């Protein structure tokens, strides 16, 4: 059995480690990138690291198809917004009629991914970009997220 003096000693020795771990994990969120948004009809390019996918990328490693939709563009964006809001640990940061920026936070380490959607009416698609804020590898999470959204926006479409 541990006595009061031993508990105090454990807490005193462990507290700096717990604080350090908390600060480390809190830092996993990273700062919101400054290059987000639509510029000249384009979302930001993916970084060289493999933790990003974009429908506007020409790089095979980062390339993902844009979202196709049925119905009017406005209905598609409303449906997309509802899908994103309904996903675990998601948060809409900015939204207007043609653009949505959301972030998704991982459960364990609280890593944050920025996900953007841009209604490209000229091409009749929704351009997408999903990128981790920090680190190099995402274990395919960004690609899977977009594919899950694709399945939800057009259920039954192949």
């Amino acid at each position: 059995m541990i006595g009061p003096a031993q508990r105090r000693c454990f807490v005193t020795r462990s507290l700096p480690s717990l604080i350090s771990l908390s600060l480390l994990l809190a830092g996993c969120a990273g700062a919101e990138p400054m290059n987000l948004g639509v510029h000249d009809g384009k979302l930001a390019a993916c970084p060289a690291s493999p933790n990003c996918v974009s429908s506007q990328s020409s790089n095979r490693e980062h390339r993902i198809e844009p979202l196709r939709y049925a119905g009017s563009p406005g209905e598609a964006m409303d449906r997309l917004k509802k899908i994103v809001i309904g996903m675990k640990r998601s948060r809409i940061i900015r939204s207007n009629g043609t653009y949505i920026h959301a972030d998704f936070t991982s459960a364990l380490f609280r890593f944050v991914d920025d996900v953007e959607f841009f209604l490209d009416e000229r091409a009749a698609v929704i351009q997408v970009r999903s990128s981790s804020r920090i680190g190099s590898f995402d274990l395919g999470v960004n690609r899977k997220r977009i594919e899950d959204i694709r399945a939800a926006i057009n259920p039954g479409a192949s």
Side-chain angles (χ1 to χ4, degrees):
M1 183 176 234
I2 298 175
Q6 291 168 320
R7 273 195 292 269
R8 265 194 312 276
C9 183
F10 173 77
V11 169
T12 304
R13 288 183 189 163
S14 300
L15 193 56
S17 296
L18 292 173
I19 291 171
S20 296
L21 179 61
S22 297
L23 290 173
L24 174 69
L25 294 179
C28 291
E32 181 180 315
M34 301 301 292
N35 64 340
L36 299 182
V38 181
H39 306 281
D40 297 323
K42 300 274 187 191
L43 297 169
C46 283
S49 57
N51 59 357
C52 177
V53 295
S54 172
S55 59
Q56 294 180 316
S57 178
S58 57
N59 178 304
R60 195 170 138 222
E61 181 179 29
H62 296 123
R63 175 82 181 147
I64 194 165
E65 287 300 309
L67 303 177
R68 307 221 178 272
Y69 58 88
S72 75
E75 291 169 341
M77 291 300 280
D78 289 343
R79 190 166 49 252
L80 178 58
K81 191 172 178 180
K82 287 177 186 169
I83 290 165
V84 170
I85 289 170
M87 297 176 81
K88 289 182 180 178
R89 296 175 303 282
S90 67
R91 182 174 63 133
I92 301 284
I93 306 300
R94 278 182 290 290
S95 175
N96 63 38
T98 61
Y99 176 78
I100 298 170
H101 169 215
D103 70 20
F104 288 78
T105 305
S106 69
L108 184 58
F109 291 112
R110 313 297 292 161
F111 292 116
V112 176
D113 297 338
D114 290 288
V115 183
E116 298 178 279
F117 305 92
F118 163 56
L119 177 64
D120 186 347
E121 290 188 73
R122 186 179 46 79
V125 296
I126 300 171
Q127 303 290 353
V128 298
R129 179 181 186 272
S130 186
S131 182
S132 302
R133 283 190 185 171
I134 63 171
S136 292
F137 300 101
D138 68 347
L139 304 173
V141 169
N142 284 295
R143 185 172 297 279
K144 181 177 181 335
R145 177 183 300 117
I146 297 301
E147 293 305 339
D148 289 347
I149 292 169
R150 181 186 318 283
I153 199 165
N154 284 317
S158 323

